[in-house]
Amino acid sequence: LFNTHNTMKSILDLKRAYRFFLYKTEAQKKRTHNRQLSYFSGLKKGCDRLNDKRIEIANRYKKIVKGYRTNGRCVYHIFSLMFNDREKIIHMMNERKIPHMIHYKHHVNELPALRGKNESSVGFRVSDKIVSIPCHPFLQENEIEKIEEFLHLIKDEEYGL
């Protein structure tokens, strides 16, 4: 599997290598450049695998959640849903030990730096209805199934899903 710690360490190593790269001979630069290209090629493949897993999980959720749309190729770093009664949904998720997040507890226009700029009535209308469910590539099959069961349970109720 793709190891995040080793990846970050490797990226820092590459930054250090780049500094040295500036002072190398042309032959040394070519060898270093080829090694870096090879490394980044492997890194990209690892990222692609992680993104493909997110997409696979999201597609499973989307079979249950009708009308979920995205623009272009989405890699689903979050999978947000909108509910009429978010607090009740959160309570139900807590009972079933399903992790969840509210990514934006406050509307963007409520942040001091953006207050009064680009008012969005849609944002205010939906900000207290959105909750995100896990969609990361490290979910185990039983965890995905648990979330799918929950989505099936609530889709037939009047929760806005």
Side-chain angles (χ1 to χ4, degrees):
L1 273 185
F2 191 72
N3 186 322
T4 306
H5 174 72
N6 287 342
T7 301
M8 293 307 293
K9 182 180 176 300
S10 297
I11 289 171
L12 291 174
D13 289 344
L14 282 174
K15 285 182 178 180
R16 270 188 235 107
Y18 179 73
R19 276 189 241 127
F20 292 116
F21 183 75
L22 296 174
Y23 304 104
K24 292 186 177 196
T25 67
E26 287 305 314
Q28 290 172 319
K29 286 182 183 181
K30 186 172 184 174
R31 284 194 299 275
T32 303
H33 180 69
N34 288 340
R35 280 195 301 272
Q36 288 174 338
L37 286 176
S38 174
Y39 172 77
F40 278 118
S41 175
L43 183 62
K44 183 185 179 314
K45 287 177 188 168
C47 288
D48 288 344
R49 281 195 302 274
L50 294 177
N51 288 338
D52 290 345
K53 181 67 174 174
R54 283 187 186 99
I55 291 168
E56 174 192 327
I57 294 167
N59 285 337
R60 288 174 66 172
Y61 295 165
K62 285 171 30 177
K63 287 180 183 175
I64 302 165
V65 180
K66 300 298 180 199
Y68 197 96
R69 294 181 312 272
T70 58
N71 295 327
R73 182 176 189 266
C74 182
V75 293
Y76 301 97
H77 291 286
I78 60 173
F79 193 93
S80 295
L81 298 169
M82 192 164 57
F83 299 99
N84 292 331
D85 189 351
R86 178 174 69 188
E87 296 309 314
K88 184 168 185 167
I89 294 296
I90 288 173
H91 178 74
M92 293 169 70
M93 292 173 92
N94 287 339
E95 286 178 339
R96 290 162 179 79
K97 295 183 170 71
I98 296 174
H100 57 277
M101 276 187 89
I102 299 171
H103 279 82
Y104 307 104
K105 289 186 181 189
H106 304 286
H107 188 272
V108 173
N109 289 348
E110 294 173 340
L111 299 173
L114 298 174
R115 195 168 287 133
K117 296 181 173 41
N118 196 15
E119 293 293 325
S120 168
S121 61
V122 174
F124 285 108
R125 199 169 56 239
V126 301
S127 64
D128 63 342
K129 295 181 178 189
I130 295 176
V131 66
S132 297
I133 58 176
C135 192
H136 61 83
F138 305 108
L139 285 171
Q140 301 296 314
E141 182 62 28
N142 63 329
E143 295 171 316
I144 298 168
E145 290 173 356
K146 185 178 184 179
I147 294 166
E148 287 176 319
E149 286 174 20
F150 180 73
L151 292 174
H152 278 294
L153 171 74
I154 61 174
K155 85 172 190 180
D156 296 327
E157 302 293 328
E158 291 297 317
Y159 297 114
L161 182 62

